[in-house]
Amino acid sequence: MSDWTRDEMMTVAAARQLRDGCICFVGIGLPSAACNLARLTHAPDVVLIYESGTLGTRPDVLPLSIGDGELADTAACVIPLPEVFGYLLQAGRVDVGFLGAAQVDRHGNLNSTVIGPYDAPRTRLPGAGGATEIAAHARQTFVMLKATPRSLVAQLDFRTSGGFLEGNGARARTSMRGTGPQSVITDFGVLQPHPASEELQLSALFEGTTVDEARAATGWPLEVAATVETIAPPTKIELETLRALHARTREAHRRPVRLPA
Amino acid sequence: MSDWTRDEMMTVAAARQLRDGCICFVGIGLPSAACNLARLTHAPDVVLIYESGTLGTRPDVLPLSIGDGELADTAACVIPLPEVFGYLLQAGRVDVGFLGAAQVDRHGNLNSTVIGPYDAPRTRLPGAGGATEIAAHARQTFVMLKATPRSLVAQLDFRTSGGFLEGNGARARTSMRGTGPQSVITDFGVLQPHPASEELQLSALFEGTTVDEARAATGWPLEVAATVETIAPPTKIELETLRALHARTREAHRRPVRLPA
Amino acid sequence: MRSKVTTLSEAIAAHVLDGACVALEGFTHLIPFAAGHEIIRQGRRDLHLVRMTPDLIYDQMIGMGCASRLTFSWGGNPGVGSLHRLRDAVEHQWPAPLAIDEHTHAGVAAAYSAGAAGLPFATLRGYLGTDLPSVNPRIRSVDCPFTGERLAAVPALNPDVTILHAQRADRRGNVAMHGIVGAQREAAFAARALIVTVEEIVEELPPAMNGIVLPHWIVSAVAQCRGGAYPSYVHDHYARDNSFYQRWDAIARERDGFLAWMNRHVLASRDHATFLASLREVA
Amino acid sequence: MRSKVTTLSEAIAAHVLDGACVALEGFTHLIPFAAGHEIIRQGRRDLHLVRMTPDLIYDQMIGMGCASRLTFSWGGNPGVGSLHRLRDAVEHQWPAPLAIDEHTHAGVAAAYSAGAAGLPFATLRGYLGTDLPSVNPRIRSVDCPFTGERLAAVPALNPDVTILHAQRADRRGNVAMHGIVGAQREAAFAARALIVTVEEIVEELPPAMNGIVLPHWIVSAVAQCRGGAYPSYVHDHYARDNSFYQRWDAIARERDGFLAWMNRHVLASRDHATFLASLREVA
């Protein structure tokens, strides 16, 4: 047994996708951990943008919400939300959008709205938030989610955010400005789009995971890229940094807040 | 001979139109003097807005430009120009627009664009600036100009800003939200629109001016309202306040600025 | 000049009527919890609630039966999970059916901005590749008169009442805020009436040339309400109570537990100070 | 991370090409005079100049033959009178014909905002009751897809280069400004390239949570240029030289006098510091 969990490996693998200096629009949860890990390791000059309008933020602990005070305190500046979506995202001034989702289909389309029919949902999820326009307009997007046949699905219950739509260049024929999901980082490895069909294929596996495991966790017949990279395990620094970040975060979120008097 | 000039009387008469507490969008030049005189006399709580985004400004000297530093220094706050025109003016949140113009016609339409044909102007004037939308959206507008048959004209060379358009309710049939020019303050007295035809009529004269003088200064056959008020001369306080304001202003604008090094 | 300062209960009684379209805004920061609780106490019904992120306050208002319609773009307990009362209303019509008018953040931000600017609609390059337009007839399109490009259009949002919380106001009703501002200014300018609760009322706001100020003439009423954003937060006053947000998941999961908590802490408290005191007792 | 700090002459040489669409913005405050003079010195031709208020700087650039088109909404010497060089170009095609694309302030502000937001056009309830649409084919209309109301539409403004002046920048290119900001932020975000001259370059900008910052990744080049807005002004640095604006009326009234002044003070000066020194000599 390795001395790191798959969750940790997933976060480390996602963090490694971020180039230093890039302008990154960060979703809450798994993406937020990955982006801050990148910032604290190989990408000190990555610019993290949360949709609450906090630009260039450098939180010491992970925010629970997308607008914790920590994000504002450590930001280069705070701008109104209409400007975040207009002047930055819609205007094409974001390099990477980092998203989570409840479901991803084989063309990288995302569902975070409902499980079951929209009008009579089995499970009502939070909905789009910023995801639809992040998926459309960030120059590229990365998606993180834990893989099961219920999350990597053949057919979405609802399409909240567009990836490659029906594939085969369908996205490029729309007004979506970005190039779509270039990596889907799961807890077994990474899926990337086939250049022509734009169907997600297995392109990398974590050490200790297998193609069969990946196929078992995927709700469509998963194709395997010509070469499947093996992702190097977390380095000591990556692991220590991530664990310290999570420890600080747990401690901070547990800390009682004095009720205002 | 009176101990005040017609220019002074015009400014005082214009100032008196402003109710205390009203939200007033101020044009540069004559309107700026009148609005600040009002603020320094009977209307201490008038809110003056200059299109440079300075809200609730209380300048000690009159600005030469619409965006002098004095306006920002004494403002309650400074907002971006798109918000001035969007969130305040277009949204109907301005009570009074106070405008100047080169020409006014009998229905209170204004020209500040060209004298002569647009494509081959005899005199190219500055143009619309904020005037078109102030005239359209302020709940009411006041207009100030010195009267001559070349400024109060039968036919504008160019319509920069709409007053009552062709009159007889034409304005109300448009999307212009305000009620149009309720007073045109000149250096002989005040013109106001006839309630039905919306043609400007002589409604008040300064002490010492006559209907004949008014008619001579007007480029269309000027109608006279059923009752023509005589406007009381400037009070001592009005005159002293105005002269002190102008003296401070002349002094400030003459003051040499140390060139930045 | 008349002061706009009043009490929260008077402001709610005067401006929030049954059936009104009401936006309590505040993006994670400055959420007007005290005002939402007062609306619950005064028993308002049939409200059309508008908010980008419904958060716990709308979970509470929906669960207490105040709302019949919700316009929103993200309805969860941030970083925790579901809003159980919102889900129960959508999934099981409890305590009442809730019509939903679902958007994206970009769409709501644009709709507030159009409302603030007095325009009937907003244009955005949005709702691309999503099923939302198929379930929301208020998402339409408009063609650019210059390029011919088809863009998304949403109707302006102009709430009957917007309610905000802020750091401070002066007696004339000028309001100053800082920190994360979300789309609060737009929601304020878009509203027909604007109620603001503040941590403190001062004689004069500190000078802030380019600060975020809501000018007094767009403000209908100001009420001092210390702690009025709790368990959300007020920058430079108190932090977000993330542990309360985490505890809310269990409190709101079942109807009975939810009702018991609301009765004990909100309905049995005459005002926000009493509400906060009741939480201190169980802490 | 590469520094964006360069010299003004290098920034102009690299980004302002003959035939470009260029916006030097600054609403009375922070007008980038030094940059305009450098464009004149480098002899740029056939520029499409964009500015809400052309002011003296465009009077100078037009009079020196840099421009073939002007997009604007108010073209005067504020509080003084005409811009004689602008008038001479429009009335007598001297030194070259100048096509004009004339708007209102509200229209240009909306067009910059649309450009900043990556939209192809802006909607406004504007240009009502004016003859401007009859002389400007770029003012069109769009119908609200919800109410049917007909509104004005203008194409987005997306200058090839926007040039601003500001109080300060850091070495990475983050720019901070305060005071009257006009539509500068919108013009900055709308541009394909953005040059900013500043009074000072600092290691780190002072903290300003809700301050007006242009983030480094939209800034192409930053150049320190003390006094770079003179005779316009820089809040907290130097005042507007209103007496110079008044004197300009006589300087620019006749072609010969204008050319002599420009030769003596702008062309004969290698940079802005020398320009300011040459004014001190005649003061």
mmCIF file of all heavy atoms in Angstrom, chain C residues 118-119 121 123 125 138 140 142 144-146 153-155 178-179 209-210 212 235, chain D residues 118-119 121 123 125 138 140 142 144-146 153-155 178-179 209-210 212 235:
data_model
loop_
_atom_site.group_PDB
_atom_site.id
_atom_site.type_symbol
_atom_site.label_atom_id
_atom_site.label_comp_id
_atom_site.label_asym_id
_atom_site.label_seq_id
_atom_site.Cartn_x
_atom_site.Cartn_y
_atom_site.Cartn_z
ATOM 1 N N GLY C 118 -31.845 50.544 -15.893
ATOM 2 C CA GLY C 118 -33.137 50.926 -16.457
ATOM 3 C C GLY C 118 -33.389 50.368 -17.844
ATOM 4 O O GLY C 118 -34.177 50.925 -18.607
ATOM 5 N N LEU C 119 -32.734 49.281 -18.198
ATOM 6 C CA LEU C 119 -32.964 48.632 -19.491
ATOM 7 C C LEU C 119 -33.878 47.433 -19.311
ATOM 8 O O LEU C 119 -33.864 46.797 -18.264
ATOM 9 C CB LEU C 119 -31.632 48.166 -20.095
ATOM 10 C CG LEU C 119 -30.680 49.267 -20.529
ATOM 11 C CD1 LEU C 119 -29.342 48.675 -20.954
ATOM 12 C CD2 LEU C 119 -31.290 50.085 -21.663
ATOM 13 N N PHE C 121 -33.748 44.507 -20.821
ATOM 14 C CA PHE C 121 -33.107 43.191 -20.939
ATOM 15 C C PHE C 121 -31.603 43.351 -20.956
ATOM 16 O O PHE C 121 -31.074 44.448 -21.136
ATOM 17 C CB PHE C 121 -33.574 42.453 -22.206
ATOM 18 C CG PHE C 121 -32.973 42.974 -23.489
ATOM 19 C CD1 PHE C 121 -31.963 42.278 -24.138
ATOM 20 C CD2 PHE C 121 -33.411 44.164 -24.042
ATOM 21 C CE1 PHE C 121 -31.400 42.751 -25.322
ATOM 22 C CE2 PHE C 121 -32.861 44.653 -25.217
ATOM 23 C CZ PHE C 121 -31.858 43.949 -25.857
ATOM 24 N N THR C 123 -27.926 41.512 -22.513
ATOM 25 C CA THR C 123 -27.347 40.645 -23.536
ATOM 26 C C THR C 123 -26.093 40.007 -22.965
ATOM 27 O O THR C 123 -25.300 40.690 -22.312
ATOM 28 C CB THR C 123 -26.961 41.485 -24.768
ATOM 29 O OG1 THR C 123 -28.115 42.169 -25.230
ATOM 30 C CG2 THR C 123 -26.394 40.608 -25.875
ATOM 31 N N ARG C 125 -23.014 36.704 -23.932
ATOM 32 C CA ARG C 125 -22.617 35.512 -24.658
ATOM 33 C C ARG C 125 -22.619 34.401 -23.622
ATOM 34 O O ARG C 125 -21.597 34.065 -23.042
ATOM 35 C CB ARG C 125 -21.249 35.703 -25.324
ATOM 36 C CG ARG C 125 -20.921 34.585 -26.306
ATOM 37 C CD ARG C 125 -19.603 34.777 -27.018
ATOM 38 N NE ARG C 125 -19.668 35.727 -28.094
ATOM 39 C CZ ARG C 125 -19.127 36.920 -28.080
ATOM 40 N NH1 ARG C 125 -18.435 37.319 -27.061
ATOM 41 N NH2 ARG C 125 -19.253 37.729 -29.107
ATOM 42 N N ARG C 138 -37.477 32.269 -19.919
ATOM 43 C CA ARG C 138 -36.987 33.641 -19.799
ATOM 44 C C ARG C 138 -35.581 33.803 -20.372
ATOM 45 O O ARG C 138 -35.010 34.884 -20.321
ATOM 46 C CB ARG C 138 -37.024 34.097 -18.352
ATOM 47 C CG ARG C 138 -38.448 34.342 -17.854
ATOM 48 C CD ARG C 138 -38.491 34.736 -16.395
ATOM 49 N NE ARG C 138 -39.873 34.733 -15.928
ATOM 50 C CZ ARG C 138 -40.530 33.627 -15.573
ATOM 51 N NH1 ARG C 138 -39.941 32.456 -15.625
ATOM 52 N NH2 ARG C 138 -41.791 33.714 -15.185
ATOM 53 N N ARG C 140 -33.807 33.995 -23.660
ATOM 54 C CA ARG C 140 -34.118 34.112 -25.088
ATOM 55 C C ARG C 140 -32.866 34.548 -25.840
ATOM 56 O O ARG C 140 -31.770 34.454 -25.328
ATOM 57 C CB ARG C 140 -35.270 35.116 -25.285
ATOM 58 C CG ARG C 140 -36.543 34.627 -24.613
ATOM 59 C CD ARG C 140 -37.744 35.489 -24.927
ATOM 60 N NE ARG C 140 -38.879 35.038 -24.096
ATOM 61 C CZ ARG C 140 -40.027 35.693 -23.968
ATOM 62 N NH1 ARG C 140 -40.225 36.833 -24.624
ATOM 63 N NH2 ARG C 140 -40.994 35.214 -23.199
ATOM 64 N N VAL C 142 -31.026 37.412 -28.888
ATOM 65 C CA VAL C 142 -31.096 38.683 -29.601
ATOM 66 C C VAL C 142 -29.960 38.651 -30.618
ATOM 67 O O VAL C 142 -28.905 38.074 -30.362
ATOM 68 C CB VAL C 142 -30.987 39.862 -28.601
ATOM 69 C CG1 VAL C 142 -29.617 39.914 -27.922
ATOM 70 C CG2 VAL C 142 -31.298 41.192 -29.251
ATOM 71 N N CYS C 144 -27.146 40.522 -32.906
ATOM 72 C CA CYS C 144 -26.369 41.761 -32.961
ATOM 73 C C CYS C 144 -26.701 42.507 -34.249
ATOM 74 O O CYS C 144 -26.599 41.938 -35.343
ATOM 75 C CB CYS C 144 -24.867 41.452 -32.900
ATOM 76 S SG CYS C 144 -23.857 42.939 -33.194
ATOM 77 N N PRO C 145 -27.093 43.784 -34.144
ATOM 78 C CA PRO C 145 -27.447 44.529 -35.356
ATOM 79 C C PRO C 145 -26.234 44.918 -36.210
ATOM 80 O O PRO C 145 -26.419 45.516 -37.268
ATOM 81 C CB PRO C 145 -28.170 45.772 -34.824
ATOM 82 C CG PRO C 145 -27.762 45.899 -33.419
ATOM 83 C CD PRO C 145 -27.349 44.541 -32.919
ATOM 84 N N PHE C 146 -25.046 44.576 -35.764
ATOM 85 C CA PHE C 146 -23.843 44.902 -36.543
ATOM 86 C C PHE C 146 -23.198 43.651 -37.128
ATOM 87 O O PHE C 146 -22.837 43.618 -38.292
ATOM 88 C CB PHE C 146 -22.854 45.679 -35.677
ATOM 89 C CG PHE C 146 -23.442 46.954 -35.150
ATOM 90 C CD1 PHE C 146 -24.020 46.999 -33.885
ATOM 91 C CD2 PHE C 146 -23.483 48.099 -35.931
ATOM 92 C CE1 PHE C 146 -24.607 48.159 -33.411
ATOM 93 C CE2 PHE C 146 -24.064 49.261 -35.461
ATOM 94 C CZ PHE C 146 -24.629 49.299 -34.195
ATOM 95 N N ALA C 153 -30.252 36.518 -24.263
ATOM 96 C CA ALA C 153 -30.901 37.671 -23.638
ATOM 97 C C ALA C 153 -31.696 37.191 -22.433
ATOM 98 O O ALA C 153 -32.316 36.135 -22.482
ATOM 99 C CB ALA C 153 -31.829 38.365 -24.636
ATOM 100 N N VAL C 154 -31.619 37.968 -21.360
ATOM 101 C CA VAL C 154 -32.442 37.687 -20.175
ATOM 102 C C VAL C 154 -33.163 38.970 -19.781
ATOM 103 O O VAL C 154 -32.649 40.064 -20.008
ATOM 104 C CB VAL C 154 -31.589 37.179 -18.980
ATOM 105 C CG1 VAL C 154 -31.093 35.765 -19.234
ATOM 106 C CG2 VAL C 154 -30.428 38.120 -18.699
ATOM 107 N N PRO C 155 -34.359 38.839 -19.214
ATOM 108 C CA PRO C 155 -35.081 40.053 -18.815
ATOM 109 C C PRO C 155 -34.406 40.705 -17.614
ATOM 110 O O PRO C 155 -33.849 40.021 -16.761
ATOM 111 C CB PRO C 155 -36.479 39.545 -18.446
ATOM 112 C CG PRO C 155 -36.308 38.097 -18.155
ATOM 113 C CD PRO C 155 -35.123 37.612 -18.928
ATOM 114 N N HIS C 178 -17.510 47.523 2.123
ATOM 115 C CA HIS C 178 -16.267 47.095 1.506
ATOM 116 C C HIS C 178 -16.099 45.602 1.701
ATOM 117 O O HIS C 178 -16.806 44.981 2.483
ATOM 118 C CB HIS C 178 -15.073 47.879 2.063
ATOM 119 C CG HIS C 178 -14.811 47.650 3.520
ATOM 120 N ND1 HIS C 178 -15.443 48.366 4.506
ATOM 121 C CD2 HIS C 178 -14.007 46.775 4.153
ATOM 122 C CE1 HIS C 178 -15.016 47.943 5.689
ATOM 123 N NE2 HIS C 178 -14.144 46.986 5.505
ATOM 124 N N GLY C 179 -15.151 45.043 0.952
ATOM 125 C CA GLY C 179 -14.977 43.593 0.936
ATOM 126 C C GLY C 179 -15.618 43.026 -0.324
ATOM 127 O O GLY C 179 -15.791 43.736 -1.308
ATOM 128 N N MET C 209 -12.970 58.352 -1.508
ATOM 129 C CA MET C 209 -13.273 58.922 -2.830
ATOM 130 C C MET C 209 -13.875 57.904 -3.790
ATOM 131 O O MET C 209 -14.921 58.139 -4.366
ATOM 132 C CB MET C 209 -11.994 59.510 -3.412
ATOM 133 C CG MET C 209 -12.250 60.358 -4.630
ATOM 134 S SD MET C 209 -10.712 61.109 -5.194
ATOM 135 C CE MET C 209 -10.385 62.273 -3.862
ATOM 136 N N ASN C 210 -13.189 56.772 -3.945
ATOM 137 C CA ASN C 210 -13.692 55.766 -4.869
ATOM 138 C C ASN C 210 -14.304 54.578 -4.132
ATOM 139 O O ASN C 210 -14.373 53.474 -4.658
ATOM 140 C CB ASN C 210 -12.566 55.284 -5.798
ATOM 141 C CG ASN C 210 -12.009 56.403 -6.660
ATOM 142 O OD1 ASN C 210 -10.897 56.880 -6.441
ATOM 143 N ND2 ASN C 210 -12.777 56.834 -7.630
ATOM 144 N N ILE C 212 -17.201 52.199 -2.129
ATOM 145 C CA ILE C 212 -18.478 51.656 -2.577
ATOM 146 C C ILE C 212 -19.576 52.260 -1.716
ATOM 147 O O ILE C 212 -19.727 51.912 -0.546
ATOM 148 C CB ILE C 212 -18.478 50.130 -2.475
ATOM 149 C CG1 ILE C 212 -17.334 49.576 -3.328
ATOM 150 C CG2 ILE C 212 -19.817 49.552 -2.908
ATOM 151 C CD1 ILE C 212 -16.948 48.169 -2.969
ATOM 152 N N HIS C 235 -16.938 41.981 6.730
ATOM 153 C CA HIS C 235 -15.500 42.229 6.706
ATOM 154 C C HIS C 235 -15.126 43.303 7.717
ATOM 155 O O HIS C 235 -15.765 44.337 7.797
ATOM 156 C CB HIS C 235 -15.047 42.638 5.303
ATOM 157 C CG HIS C 235 -13.733 42.027 4.960
ATOM 158 N ND1 HIS C 235 -13.586 40.985 4.070
ATOM 159 C CD2 HIS C 235 -12.499 42.274 5.454
ATOM 160 C CE1 HIS C 235 -12.320 40.637 4.012
ATOM 161 N NE2 HIS C 235 -11.634 41.407 4.845
ATOM 162 N N GLY D 118 -16.479 41.849 -23.994
ATOM 163 C CA GLY D 118 -16.386 40.896 -25.093
ATOM 164 C C GLY D 118 -17.683 40.711 -25.855
ATOM 165 O O GLY D 118 -17.903 39.682 -26.481
ATOM 166 N N LEU D 119 -18.562 41.704 -25.812
ATOM 167 C CA LEU D 119 -19.812 41.644 -26.567
ATOM 168 C C LEU D 119 -19.681 42.475 -27.844
ATOM 169 O O LEU D 119 -18.960 43.466 -27.862
ATOM 170 C CB LEU D 119 -20.972 42.195 -25.732
ATOM 171 C CG LEU D 119 -21.365 41.355 -24.518
ATOM 172 C CD1 LEU D 119 -22.414 42.090 -23.692
ATOM 173 C CD2 LEU D 119 -21.907 39.995 -24.964
ATOM 174 N N PHE D 121 -21.944 44.387 -29.292
ATOM 175 C CA PHE D 121 -22.677 45.659 -29.304
ATOM 176 C C PHE D 121 -23.204 45.974 -27.917
ATOM 177 O O PHE D 121 -23.221 45.114 -27.038
ATOM 178 C CB PHE D 121 -23.847 45.620 -30.306
ATOM 179 C CG PHE D 121 -25.037 44.815 -29.841
ATOM 180 C CD1 PHE D 121 -26.191 45.449 -29.384
ATOM 181 C CD2 PHE D 121 -25.001 43.429 -29.851
ATOM 182 C CE1 PHE D 121 -27.292 44.710 -28.944
ATOM 183 C CE2 PHE D 121 -26.080 42.682 -29.417
ATOM 184 C CZ PHE D 121 -27.228 43.320 -28.966
ATOM 185 N N THR D 123 -26.468 48.003 -25.796
ATOM 186 C CA THR D 123 -27.838 48.498 -25.868
ATOM 187 C C THR D 123 -27.991 49.656 -24.901
ATOM 188 O O THR D 123 -27.497 49.583 -23.783
ATOM 189 C CB THR D 123 -28.814 47.375 -25.445
ATOM 190 O OG1 THR D 123 -28.597 46.244 -26.276
ATOM 191 C CG2 THR D 123 -30.258 47.827 -25.564
ATOM 192 N N ARG D 125 -30.952 53.015 -23.788
ATOM 193 C CA ARG D 125 -32.098 53.846 -24.099
ATOM 194 C C ARG D 125 -31.524 55.235 -24.337
ATOM 195 O O ARG D 125 -31.503 56.077 -23.452
ATOM 196 C CB ARG D 125 -33.129 53.820 -22.974
ATOM 197 C CG ARG D 125 -34.457 54.454 -23.376
ATOM 198 C CD ARG D 125 -35.507 54.391 -22.285
ATOM 199 N NE ARG D 125 -36.123 53.091 -22.170
ATOM 200 C CZ ARG D 125 -35.936 52.247 -21.171
ATOM 201 N NH1 ARG D 125 -35.170 52.586 -20.170
ATOM 202 N NH2 ARG D 125 -36.514 51.077 -21.159
ATOM 203 N N ARG D 138 -23.490 54.100 -37.499
ATOM 204 C CA ARG D 138 -23.152 53.119 -36.467
ATOM 205 C C ARG D 138 -24.113 53.178 -35.282
ATOM 206 O O ARG D 138 -23.952 52.454 -34.314
ATOM 207 C CB ARG D 138 -21.713 53.321 -35.989
ATOM 208 C CG ARG D 138 -20.679 52.865 -37.008
ATOM 209 C CD ARG D 138 -19.264 53.132 -36.555
ATOM 210 N NE ARG D 138 -18.340 52.910 -37.671
ATOM 211 C CZ ARG D 138 -18.126 53.795 -38.642
ATOM 212 N NH1 ARG D 138 -18.747 54.956 -38.629
ATOM 213 N NH2 ARG D 138 -17.288 53.504 -39.624
ATOM 214 N N ARG D 140 -27.590 52.193 -34.370
ATOM 215 C CA ARG D 140 -28.700 51.402 -34.912
ATOM 216 C C ARG D 140 -29.685 51.082 -33.798
ATOM 217 O O ARG D 140 -29.667 51.716 -32.754
ATOM 218 C CB ARG D 140 -28.154 50.116 -35.564
ATOM 219 C CG ARG D 140 -27.239 50.439 -36.737
ATOM 220 C CD ARG D 140 -26.824 49.203 -37.515
ATOM 221 N NE ARG D 140 -25.831 49.590 -38.528
ATOM 222 C CZ ARG D 140 -25.099 48.749 -39.241
ATOM 223 N NH1 ARG D 140 -25.241 47.441 -39.068
ATOM 224 N NH2 ARG D 140 -24.237 49.183 -40.131
ATOM 225 N N VAL D 142 -32.174 47.917 -31.660
ATOM 226 C CA VAL D 142 -32.400 46.508 -31.349
ATOM 227 C C VAL D 142 -33.722 46.448 -30.575
ATOM 228 O O VAL D 142 -34.052 47.373 -29.835
ATOM 229 C CB VAL D 142 -31.198 45.944 -30.537
ATOM 230 C CG1 VAL D 142 -31.064 46.611 -29.174
ATOM 231 C CG2 VAL D 142 -31.266 44.441 -30.398
ATOM 232 N N CYS D 144 -36.190 44.737 -27.827
ATOM 233 C CA CYS D 144 -36.153 43.889 -26.637
ATOM 234 C C CYS D 144 -36.947 42.613 -26.897
ATOM 235 O O CYS D 144 -38.117 42.675 -27.279
ATOM 236 C CB CYS D 144 -36.741 44.633 -25.428
ATOM 237 S SG CYS D 144 -36.922 43.544 -23.989
ATOM 238 N N PRO D 145 -36.309 41.441 -26.698
ATOM 239 C CA PRO D 145 -37.029 40.182 -26.967
ATOM 240 C C PRO D 145 -38.099 39.858 -25.925
ATOM 241 O O PRO D 145 -38.777 38.852 -26.057
ATOM 242 C CB PRO D 145 -35.919 39.130 -26.970
ATOM 243 C CG PRO D 145 -34.782 39.733 -26.246
ATOM 244 C CD PRO D 145 -34.907 41.218 -26.334
ATOM 245 N N PHE D 146 -38.253 40.700 -24.917
ATOM 246 C CA PHE D 146 -39.278 40.454 -23.892
ATOM 247 C C PHE D 146 -40.409 41.472 -23.978
ATOM 248 O O PHE D 146 -41.572 41.112 -23.932
ATOM 249 C CB PHE D 146 -38.638 40.455 -22.504
ATOM 250 C CG PHE D 146 -37.565 39.405 -22.376
ATOM 251 C CD1 PHE D 146 -36.230 39.719 -22.595
ATOM 252 C CD2 PHE D 146 -37.897 38.088 -22.091
ATOM 253 C CE1 PHE D 146 -35.248 38.745 -22.519
ATOM 254 C CE2 PHE D 146 -36.914 37.106 -22.016
ATOM 255 C CZ PHE D 146 -35.589 37.436 -22.225
ATOM 256 N N ALA D 153 -28.654 50.848 -30.321
ATOM 257 C CA ALA D 153 -27.524 49.919 -30.268
ATOM 258 C C ALA D 153 -26.315 50.599 -30.900
ATOM 259 O O ALA D 153 -26.450 51.301 -31.905
ATOM 260 C CB ALA D 153 -27.853 48.628 -31.014
ATOM 261 N N VAL D 154 -25.169 50.407 -30.282
ATOM 262 C CA VAL D 154 -23.910 50.895 -30.859
ATOM 263 C C VAL D 154 -22.916 49.734 -30.874
ATOM 264 O O VAL D 154 -22.973 48.854 -30.007
ATOM 265 C CB VAL D 154 -23.313 52.085 -30.051
ATOM 266 C CG1 VAL D 154 -24.125 53.339 -30.263
ATOM 267 C CG2 VAL D 154 -23.201 51.747 -28.570
ATOM 268 N N PRO D 155 -22.017 49.723 -31.868
ATOM 269 C CA PRO D 155 -21.040 48.634 -31.896
ATOM 270 C C PRO D 155 -20.040 48.783 -30.760
ATOM 271 O O PRO D 155 -19.691 49.900 -30.360
ATOM 272 C CB PRO D 155 -20.355 48.799 -33.249
ATOM 273 C CG PRO D 155 -20.579 50.213 -33.645
ATOM 274 C CD PRO D 155 -21.850 50.669 -32.979
ATOM 275 N N HIS D 178 -6.757 56.311 -8.643
ATOM 276 C CA HIS D 178 -7.887 56.797 -7.864
ATOM 277 C C HIS D 178 -8.231 58.204 -8.300
ATOM 278 O O HIS D 178 -7.471 58.850 -9.016
ATOM 279 C CB HIS D 178 -7.585 56.724 -6.363
ATOM 280 C CG HIS D 178 -6.464 57.610 -5.914
ATOM 281 N ND1 HIS D 178 -5.145 57.216 -5.953
ATOM 282 C CD2 HIS D 178 -6.454 58.872 -5.432
ATOM 283 C CE1 HIS D 178 -4.375 58.189 -5.496
ATOM 284 N NE2 HIS D 178 -5.144 59.217 -5.181
ATOM 285 N N GLY D 179 -9.393 58.661 -7.866
ATOM 286 C CA GLY D 179 -9.913 59.952 -8.320
ATOM 287 C C GLY D 179 -10.952 59.717 -9.404
ATOM 288 O O GLY D 179 -11.563 58.655 -9.463
ATOM 289 N N MET D 209 -8.330 46.900 -0.907
ATOM 290 C CA MET D 209 -9.207 45.773 -1.221
ATOM 291 C C MET D 209 -10.146 46.055 -2.393
ATOM 292 O O MET D 209 -10.205 45.289 -3.340
ATOM 293 C CB MET D 209 -10.008 45.404 0.024
ATOM 294 C CG MET D 209 -10.746 44.088 -0.114
ATOM 295 S SD MET D 209 -11.568 43.672 1.419
ATOM 296 C CE MET D 209 -10.171 43.324 2.489
ATOM 297 N N ASN D 210 -10.872 47.174 -2.298
ATOM 298 C CA ASN D 210 -11.807 47.490 -3.375
ATOM 299 C C ASN D 210 -11.293 48.623 -4.255
ATOM 300 O O ASN D 210 -12.068 49.330 -4.896
ATOM 301 C CB ASN D 210 -13.183 47.850 -2.805
ATOM 302 C CG ASN D 210 -13.803 46.698 -2.033
ATOM 303 O OD1 ASN D 210 -13.881 46.714 -0.812
ATOM 304 N ND2 ASN D 210 -14.233 45.689 -2.746
ATOM 305 N N ILE D 212 -9.185 50.626 -7.362
ATOM 306 C CA ILE D 212 -9.282 50.516 -8.812
ATOM 307 C C ILE D 212 -7.941 50.027 -9.336
ATOM 308 O O ILE D 212 -6.959 50.771 -9.357
ATOM 309 C CB ILE D 212 -9.656 51.869 -9.427
ATOM 310 C CG1 ILE D 212 -10.982 52.337 -8.839
ATOM 311 C CG2 ILE D 212 -9.737 51.764 -10.943
ATOM 312 C CD1 ILE D 212 -11.237 53.800 -9.020
ATOM 313 N N HIS D 235 -4.566 63.174 -9.442
ATOM 314 C CA HIS D 235 -5.037 63.377 -8.075
ATOM 315 C C HIS D 235 -3.960 62.981 -7.070
ATOM 316 O O HIS D 235 -3.351 61.938 -7.187
ATOM 317 C CB HIS D 235 -6.311 62.573 -7.825
ATOM 318 C CG HIS D 235 -7.274 63.340 -6.990
ATOM 319 N ND1 HIS D 235 -8.435 63.896 -7.492
ATOM 320 C CD2 HIS D 235 -7.203 63.711 -5.694
ATOM 321 C CE1 HIS D 235 -9.045 64.550 -6.520
ATOM 322 N NE2 HIS D 235 -8.323 64.448 -5.428
#
